[in-house]
Amino acid sequence: MKNFLKLLNFELNRFMKLFIILLITIAVIQIAGTIILASSYMKRANNAVIQGGMTQHEFIEMYSTFSMMDVIHSLWFMGPIAIGVAALLFYVVFIWYRDWFARNTFIYRLLMLPTSRMNIFFSKATTIMLTVLALVAYQIILLNIEMTITKWIVPKVYRQDLRIVDLVAGSEYLSIVLPRGLAEFVIAYGLGLGFIVVIFTVILFERSYRLKGIIIGLLYAFIAFVLFGLPISLQILLFGNIYLYPMEVLIVQIVMWAIIVGVSLIISRYLLKNKVTV
């Protein structure tokens, strides 16, 4: 455990500078978008009321009130989230290849450490998951800041105040990033962890067998994807409908997820121990 924590701290420190840049980028774009959208709405409202002779009630009936939902459904908000997701997906791969292609091939020093090589695997996977969870918590903080900024710019008469839970419920994409309940949270991020483990296994296939490993790794990822969707797709193919209850489907898929993750860890351990050499 001590060696794992040291490796985890090392990996987190290596990613910290890039992660801080990512956080700043997300905050700047989202806050700027909130200010621009809220100010644009108020400019339109003031022009309509002061210059156009409309009453506040008439303007609201025609254009509706302003709320954070207008911000969330804009590119100003979803764009930075997409950037964050893309950056983390890139880092899932980069976290391994950086060690192989860094100066003096740093992976060799890692593999020669007096600890289980799976600690390297788990420290990298845990780093990704911790940064994902930190990004989610950061987004909740940003939402509160953006809601406050909206209240500063848009008067109450023109504004509809919503809770964060209402914003999540009203956004299909935000509900994926911020699941509403504990069960949904565990399922969503459990799937994310499974995805990371499978991608790590694909990378180790490539590092172990090079060109042949790419083919093997991609085939493995495809099989894992098919197996996970098998409980639903098999019913549709055979019967044209889903006969299992939702809870039964969930249980079967959890079992399939556990099998896929377990097999991936076994394969990764074998490759790290026997095929990836120094």
Side-chain angles (χ1 to χ4, degrees), residues 33 48-49 51 61 73 77 86 90 98 110 114 144-145 150 152 154 167 193 198 213 257:
V49 173
Q51 299 177 11
E61 280 191 339
H73 288 156
F77 187 88
F90 169 77
R98 174 182 56 186
L110 285 178
N144 282 285
I145 294 173
T150 299
W152 289 346
V154 183
L167 297 174
L193 177 60
V198 170
W257 175 89

Side-chain angles (χ1 to χ4, degrees), residues 95-130:
I95 197 172
W96 282 100
Y97 285 103
R98 174 182 56 186
D99 295 336
W100 256 283
F101 297 113
R103 183 180 299 178
N104 300 324
T105 318
F106 187 74
I107 188 65
Y108 294 159
R109 294 170 60 187
L110 285 178
L111 294 175
M112 293 177 67
L113 291 174
T115 183
S116 170
R117 291 185 175 182
M118 284 305 289
N119 280 335
I120 301 172
F121 184 100
F122 290 131
S123 67
K124 292 181 183 295
T126 305
T127 297
I128 298 295
M129 288 305 300
L130 287 178

Side-chain angles (χ1 to χ4, degrees), residues 36-52:
I36 290 171
L37 293 172
S39 300
S40 177
Y41 176 89
M42 284 310 302
K43 181 179 179 180
R44 188 166 65 246
N46 290 331
N47 287 339
V49 173
I50 297 173
Q51 299 177 11

Side-chain angles (χ1 to χ4, degrees), residues 65 151 154-161:
T65 54
K151 292 177 181 178
V154 183
K156 177 63 178 176
V157 65
Y158 292 113
R159 193 180 71 238
Q160 180 185 8
D161 294 327

Side-chain angles (χ1 to χ4, degrees), residues 158-169:
Y158 292 113
R159 193 180 71 238
Q160 180 185 8
D161 294 327
L162 298 172
R163 300 172 301 167
I164 289 181
V165 65
D166 298 321
L167 297 174
V168 173

Side-chain angles (χ1 to χ4, degrees), residues 27 34 56 72 101 103 156 163 180 211 218 230 269 277:
T34 302
Q56 292 178 339
I72 286 175
F101 297 113
R103 183 180 299 178
K156 177 63 178 176
R163 300 172 301 167
R180 285 174 287 175
L211 182 59
L218 292 177
L230 198 61
R269 182 177 182 276
T277 61

